[in-house]
Amino acid sequence: MPKTRLGAAGATPTRLLATVLVVALVVLAVIGPWIWGDQARVPDPAHLAQAPSGAHLLGTDNLGRDVLARVLTATRRSLVMAVGATALAVVLGALVGALPVVLGRRVQRVLASVLTTWMAFPVLLVALFTTILLGPGATTAVIAMGLTMTPVFGRLMQTLTAGIESSDYLVAARMLGISRRRQFTRYVLPNIAEPVLVYITLNIGGALLALSSLSFLGLGVQAPDFDWGRMLGDALPAVYTSPWTTVAPGAAIVVAGIAFGLAGEVLAGIARGQDSPVRAARTPAPAAALGTPPPGAGEHTTAALLTVENLRVEFPTAGGWTTPVRDVSLRLHPGEIVGVVGESGSGKSVTAMAIARLTSSTGSVRSRRLDFDGTDLAALSDSELRERIGRRIAVVFQDPSTFLNPALRIGTQLTEGLPDHGGAPAGARNKAVQLLDRLRITRPETRLGQYPNELSGGMRQRVLIAMAQMAEADLIIADEPTTALDMTVQHHVLRTLHERCHEDGSAALVVSHDIGVLTSLCSRIVVMYAGRVVEELSVDALLDGPAHPYTRALLASLPTLDTEVEKPLDTIPGHPPHPDEPIAGCAYAARCTRAEDRCRTDLPTLTPGTADATVACWFPLTPRTVTPRSAT
Amino acid sequence: MSVVQHWHRETPSPQHGAAETGRPEATGTSRRRPAAVWWRFVLRRAGRTLGSLFVIVSVAFVVVRLSAGDPVRQALGPTAPPSLIAERRAQLGLDLPLWRQYADYLGGLLHGDLGTSILTGQPVTDVVEGRLPKSLALAALAVLVTLLIAVPVGLTTAVLTREGRRRGLELGFNGATGLTTAVPEFLLGTGLVIAFGIWWPVLPVAGSDSTASYVLPVLALAAPSSAVIARVARVEGLKVLGRDYMRTARSKRLPTATLYLRHALPNMLTAVLTLAGTTAAGMVAATALVEQVFNWPGLGYALIQAISGRDYNIVGGIALVYATLIILINLFVDVLLALLDRRTTLLER
Ligand code: SF4
């Protein structure tokens, strides 16, 4: 319950400062007029407009009254007015906010539009009307301020109660037959109390500043009464001769503004729950040792385009560091298409992003080797990466609805930042048109001038693919490139990708949860589980029957042509482990039918099995013992 | 301007979106027949503006008529002879039946007649005409300066503090902006008058005689709102920087400037413009405060004189001018937002 969060407030310097300031203001408001009230009002003709001295610490005003005493005395009036205006706004706001519930939809819409217009009116304008009606004065100003703030609270209440009305616990409470009154006090009130409290605190500060400006203009407190704004207004004409009279009330307004502003922010922070990853990020990344070099590491690898050895990726979270990629090694040759498969949370996407250096900058990416065409990627700074690698590595992202910039035309997004800048932009456009055409997008020329929201999801996905192809990259990293597409388009897109790699020898690393997609596209498959590679094998070997029980299970969950439609697909029981979970042995042990004691204590490492496969399993299966779907 | 509008901006409206501003939110239809949806929206929005104007105008009429007893008595004071009061009432048409007065008032407004001063009999329009441009110039400059300061500062801070980096800078930024918002414009103005009027007289602190005399009033108006908008721009910037399309842009290894100016900035525009609209509305009224401090011969200055003279016909007339400006600014911003929104609705909402 949110209530306890407020109670749990610890003492950070900000909280302490906010509390001290607000308490001091309240105390002053209570005792100020008692102690300094007389001194503040009594004119002293013998000491008119005197500069600060021992007797008058902040000087005297044009009637000889002590400025400090006046400022301290004015605390009460300034504060009471601000609190009063806010209280008025809360009450009126609650009424306005509750109205639509009673009056139905039509009224609701009219009211919403009235609130919008109303909200645009600054307090000064409202104050003009109330002043005409009631004459200038403190009450008039408070009413104006309250009326100005009303729509803010009205809308807040409306939003909050609307959210609660349909919430689970209120529905539950209703089903349990809890009385309306009890529903309100036990469920509704505690849940809207916190945000309302934050708003109130912030608005008291705002009201204080606004009311002081009204008094300053002569619309608020009238002589002989005074608040801070009025003091400033009175001091203004004499600002050249006795500037000190402005200092104290000015400072008081600022301090009060800061006090309530801070207090509001502190409350809002507590209400939001202050767990931010920021704090965790300050603890150093755990320096866990990288995995043992994979088989074949350090071998003659000049032929490889991309070599990754023992990649480890960690991210800071509220609770510490999480490790989505624990130990990944892989290698790509020019023209080769390699698939990375695994369930969500296996670390496959993070691996792909880490290779392209597109993971969050707070994370830690380490590896024994991260080599692209003879360049050590890990050693490059961001600008070196831009210069030396540039768009030789291109990325196709998975979600077409979020990875295209909604504010830029398709054409811009396709043609920008190409290596031959300065070259003919028309050339780039022609190429874009060709690519879109090849990906079977209708009217490609028109599309270039359109914004992403004018295209369908499938078209947008193909635009993302075209974007990666524009640069003629040597390596295309594709993260679930076809998930958003229907089967026919998917097939076509995969074929285009395949052709492209075939034609100009670029390599592709394709990440997918769908092992079926990968078998039709790739020559080799890397299977990931819980941040590690558990098996790497050629597609042929895969179709012969993989050695790792997890790969088998993935294959068995594939629909095939002879799958009966009614029969549910085999899904792997259980869930993959959470990235922060420490795992001693094989991560798959909890779900593996072949698991034995050794699996739970010792981590199996990748070892060469057959000619074109390596597997990390203590009890690997032998090929051809089972075929997909007929297993178990 | 923090004072006049402080609370608005501290409290972003919880559901300021398509539904309640009436923007063309139906993405399906907007894709099929954008023009029709668009014009329907503009018409509806213009209709609402007229409605709002009518309400304000009527409120002004009622309020001035009901003003604390008798406006003429208020203005001329308790010692004025009854004959003078009666004469002035007749002059102002206050002896006519109420409905006639209302009709005359509306008719007058349509011809640009805002009424006449109770004290001097001078048409309010005369007061407004010479002064409004001076006030508008202040407000417009202040909005411009605010945006030119706040948006780059906010975006830069967002870039530097994204993903929880540079805690120190974030604290400093929040502290500095928090402090600036707590100094209302009239106070900042007074401080500037002291600083430049007494200690360091390099800039004019009163009047509007030279270009240089714009500097301090505009500064006093722009500083508090810049702080607020810079904060919002930072938060908005952080949101945008975390979006997926920014990763797409990064994958193209674009130059830093292109990355942030072309890819991030346009996506902050809706939020920033919404705020700029509120700021502009508030700024119109806030000029009154700053004009008072800097002896600026604008509308606000006349307004304060009218208030202290209890000349409520002038106060009402000027209030109407302010209200009309604010309503028109809102209309303008809404239409502008809808124009921008036409291309982003599908992805953003
Ligand atoms: S190591 Fe053991 S638990 Fe892990 S996959 Fe092999 S048999 Fe199963």
Side-chain angles (χ1 to χ4, degrees):
Chain A
M1 275 277 122
K3 225 163 59 171
T4 49
R5 287 206 302 264
L6 282 183
T12 66
T14 325
R15 283 178 197 177
L16 202 66
L17 183 64
T19 318
V20 167
L21 286 178
V22 171
V23 169
L25 282 172
V26 171
V27 169
L28 266 183
V30 174
I31 64 168
W34 286 340
I35 302 184
W36 299 286
D38 296 336
Q39 201 187 346
R41 274 169 219 284
V42 179
D44 181 358
H47 299 94
L48 297 184
Q50 286 202 328
S53 65
H56 300 283
L57 283 178
L58 294 175
T60 61
D61 67 7
N62 53 355
L63 292 179
R65 298 169 298 198
D66 186 71
V67 173
L68 180 62
R70 281 175 75 76
V71 166
L72 293 173
T73 308
T75 313
R76 181 185 289 178
R77 181 164 276 113
S78 304
L79 228 56
V80 165
M81 284 171 68
V83 172
T86 313
L88 181 66
V90 173
V91 173
L92 291 179
L95 287 177
V96 172
L99 270 183
V101 184
V102 194
L103 297 175
R105 284 207 150 267
R106 262 192 81 83
V107 183
Q108 210 164 338
R109 286 189 49 193
V110 173
L111 202 71
S113 114
V114 169
L115 282 187
T116 312
T117 314
W118 188 354
M119 277 181 103
F121 287 143
V123 63
L124 183 64
L125 188 60
V126 182
L128 291 182
F129 288 118
T130 52
T131 305
I132 296 173
L133 199 62
L134 304 170
T139 321
T140 312
V142 168
I143 291 175
M145 192 67 227
L147 286 176
T148 318
M149 293 192 295
T150 297
V152 178
F153 283 97
R155 185 165 283 171
L156 176 72
M157 308 273 188
Q158 226 172 313
T159 317
L160 288 176
T161 45
I164 289 167
E165 187 74 14
S166 54
S167 65
D168 293 341
Y169 53 79
L170 207 62
V171 173
R174 237 174 264 139
M175 287 200 316
L176 289 171
I178 293 171
S179 77
R180 272 186 161 267
R181 199 194 138 101
R182 219 175 124 71
Q183 274 179 30
F184 185 75
T185 52
R186 293 267 317 160
Y187 298 93
V188 179
L189 210 56
N191 279 285
I192 65 169
E194 197 170 283
V196 171
L197 195 64
V198 173
Y199 263 57
I200 287 177
T201 315
L202 286 173
N203 276 283
I204 289 179
L208 199 137
L209 296 183
L211 285 166
S212 70
S213 74
L214 291 183
S215 289
F216 174 81
L217 285 181
L219 283 166
V221 175
Q222 302 293 310
D225 289 336
F226 54 98
D227 67 347
W228 294 328
R230 180 83 211 184
M231 286 182 69
L232 258 174
D234 291 342
L236 188 65
V239 69
Y240 293 105
T241 48
S242 44
W244 58 85
T245 47
T246 61
V247 175
I253 291 171
V254 174
V255 168
I258 289 174
F260 287 101
L262 267 187
E265 263 169 47
V266 166
L267 287 179
I270 296 169
R272 246 184 278 123
Q274 210 118 61
D275 308 318
S276 55
V278 173
R279 212 153 294 173
R282 292 157 98 194
T283 63
L290 297 173
T292 48
E299 272 177 23
H300 181 66
T301 52
T302 39
L305 178 70
L306 175 75
T307 312
V308 180
E309 281 173 19
N310 307 106
L311 179 75
R312 189 177 172 91
V313 183
E314 284 145 305
F315 291 114
T317 62
W321 287 76
T322 180
T323 317
V325 178
R326 292 166 199 251
D327 187 6
V328 169
S329 302
L330 45 86
R331 190 170 288 176
L332 255 87
H333 299 278
E336 191 183 25
I337 304 183
V338 172
V340 180
V341 70
E343 291 164 285
S344 59
S346 63
K348 56 188 191 308
S349 289
V350 182
T351 301
M353 290 306 130
I355 293 169
R357 198 184 292 181
L358 290 170
T359 48
S360 145
S361 62
T362 50
S364 130
V365 178
R366 293 180 298 150
S367 60
R368 271 185 216 286
R369 231 178 127 179
L370 187 54
D371 185 294
F372 174 74
D373 201 15
T375 311
D376 181 7
L377 289 183
L380 297 182
S381 73
D382 282 351
S383 58
E384 284 169 339
L385 190 74
R386 186 177 306 137
E387 253 158 56
R388 297 191 35 197
I389 305 300
R391 295 186 68 181
R392 291 185 63 201
I393 302 178
V395 183
V396 180
F397 294 96
Q398 57 176 304
D399 188 346
S401 60
T402 60
F403 278 96
L404 281 176
N405 195 322
L408 297 177
R409 290 174 201 280
I410 301 293
T412 314
Q413 301 196 50
L414 278 174
T415 55
E416 72 176 342
L418 288 174
D420 54 330
H421 35 231
R429 280 187 81 83
N430 285 340
K431 192 170 169 191
V433 170
Q434 266 173 26
L435 275 173
L436 292 183
D437 195 43
R438 211 171 146 188
L439 287 162
R440 289 195 186 160
I441 287 184
T442 51
R443 294 184 289 122
E445 298 87 3
T446 326
R447 303 295 173 197
L448 295 187
Q450 288 182 313
Y451 289 97
N453 74 318
E454 297 171 89
L455 270 55
S456 71
M459 272 196 245
R460 274 185 251 154
Q461 179 65 67
R462 281 173 279 168
V463 168
L464 278 173
I465 293 169
M467 201 183 283
Q469 297 187 345
M470 283 296 289
E472 295 181 357
D474 297 319
L475 170 63
I476 294 176
I477 294 178
D479 187 8
E480 307 268 6
T482 56
T483 320
L485 305 177
D486 62 47
M487 287 304 268
T488 37
V489 184
Q490 187 172 341
H491 190 76
H492 176 74
V493 163
L494 290 176
R495 217 180 54 217
T496 328
L497 197 65
H498 196 264
E499 277 168 15
R500 157 145 198 103
C501 290
H502 216 74
E503 280 164 20
D504 47 42
S506 51
L509 186 70
V510 183
V511 171
S512 179
H513 66 280
D514 185 344
I515 201 167
V517 164
L518 295 179
T519 48
S520 65
L521 176 70
C522 307
S523 51
R524 258 184 322 128
I525 306 280
V526 173
V527 185
M528 282 189 67
Y529 191 79
R532 291 176 197 279
V533 175
V534 293
E535 185 166 22
E536 181 182 340
L537 70 180
S538 68
V539 169
D540 292 341
L542 182 91
L543 296 175
D544 276 354
H548 199 281
Y550 177 62
T551 319
R552 286 268 165 127
L554 281 179
L555 267 185
S557 65
L558 264 188
T560 56
L561 277 179
D562 41 271
T563 305
E564 295 159 52
V565 183
E566 295 81 28
K567 201 178 153 195
L569 293 170
D570 293 349
T571 49
I572 311 169
H575 300 284
H578 194 268
D580 327 351
E581 216 173 286
I583 304 159
C586 171
Y588 188 56
R591 302 164 80 186
C592 181
T593 46
R594 295 172 68 88
E596 291 184 23
D597 287 350
R598 186 182 184 189
C599 302
R600 290 181 193 91
T601 50
D602 299 342
L603 178 70
T605 50
L606 277 173
T607 39
T610 54
D612 47 8
T614 53
V615 64
C617 175
W618 295 124
F619 308 104
L621 296 128
T622 38
R624 286 190 198 287
T625 49
V626 260
T627 51
R629 287 299 301 159
S630 57
T632 60
Chain B
M1 186 194 62
S2 78
V3 177
V4 175
Q5 282 241 327
H6 183 81
W7 47 275
H8 271 183
R9 291 190 264 100
E10 284 287 358
T11 50
S13 58
Q15 37 175 226
H16 195 89
E20 123 290 321
T21 49
R23 286 180 221 151
E25 68 277 3
T27 51
T29 47
S30 79
R31 217 163 83 206
R32 261 178 275 122
R33 301 178 54 202
V37 175
W38 167 247
W39 283 112
R40 227 180 349 182
F41 160 74
V42 171
L43 277 180
R44 210 175 39 220
R45 193 61 192 72
R48 213 176 74 198
T49 301
L50 282 180
S52 307
L53 280 176
F54 179 74
V55 170
I56 288 294
V57 159
S58 307
V59 167
F61 174 80
V62 171
V63 157
V64 171
R65 279 331 98 144
L66 293 180
S67 65
D70 180 351
V72 176
R73 168 64 73 189
Q74 283 272 333
L76 299 181
T79 51
S83 60
L84 176 66
I85 288 181
E87 183 195 334
R88 192 50 64 81
R89 283 181 66 88
Q91 248 173 28
L92 294 167
L94 292 177
D95 48 354
L96 297 170
L98 214 56
W99 65 267
R100 266 295 302 277
Q101 288 186 37
Y102 186 53
D104 287 352
Y105 163 81
L106 287 183
L109 281 180
L110 286 180
H111 294 101
D113 176 11
L114 289 167
T116 44
S117 157
I118 299 169
L119 284 177
T120 62
Q122 186 193 12
V124 178
T125 335
D126 282 4
V127 181
V128 173
E129 242 167 24
R131 292 172 175 270
L132 184 60
K134 290 268 182 201
S135 292
L136 281 184
L138 268 195
L141 273 174
V143 171
L144 197 70
V145 170
T146 298
L147 291 180
L148 286 180
I149 294 175
V151 176
V153 167
L155 179 58
T156 310
T157 321
V159 169
L160 293 176
T161 60
R162 70 174 191 277
E163 294 167 338
R165 291 194 270 174
R166 296 193 182 82
R167 271 300 263 161
L169 178 66
E170 189 187 335
L171 278 176
F173 176 82
N174 281 340
T177 49
L179 190 71
T180 314
T181 9
V183 183
E185 40 285 276
F186 71 90
L187 190 53
L188 180 61
T190 311
L192 290 174
V193 166
I194 294 177
F196 287 93
I198 302 176
W199 299 331
W200 195 41
V202 293
L203 283 169
V205 294
S208 67
D209 306 325
S210 63
T211 323
S213 46
Y214 278 87
V215 175
L216 294 180
V218 167
L219 182 62
L221 275 174
S225 46
S226 299
V228 180
I229 296 194
R231 272 187 173 203
V232 176
R234 174 173 163 265
V235 172
E236 233 16 76
L238 286 176
K239 233 191 270 169
V240 169
L241 291 180
R243 291 290 170 86
D244 287 339
Y245 52 74
M246 289 307 292
R247 211 196 286 178
T248 312
R250 280 202 187 97
S251 81
K252 294 184 201 163
R253 317 289 172 201
L254 298 169
T256 317
T258 316
L259 187 63
Y260 296 126
L261 295 184
R262 186 190 286 168
H263 284 262
L265 195 61
N267 288 293
M268 298 164 57
L269 222 58
T270 306
V272 168
L273 272 181
T274 310
L275 254 181
T278 326
T279 308
M283 210 70 98
V284 164
T287 48
L289 289 156
V290 168
E291 285 171 12
Q292 178 77 353
V293 175
F294 291 100
N295 280 323
W296 190 267
L299 206 52
Y301 198 74
L303 175 75
I304 302 311
Q305 284 174 337
I307 289 171
S308 51
R310 303 278 198 268
D311 194 334
Y312 290 146
N313 270 7
I314 294 191
V315 177
I318 293 180
L320 269 190
V321 173
Y322 281 150
T324 311
L325 280 174
I326 289 165
I327 289 174
L328 289 181
I329 289 172
N330 278 333
L331 172 70
F332 175 71
V333 171
D334 269 9
V335 171
L336 202 64
L337 281 176
L339 259 177
L340 286 173
D341 237 30
R342 280 210 294 174
R343 61 181 201 215
T344 54
T345 32
L346 193 69
L347 291 181
E348 290 294 277
R349 298 184 193 285

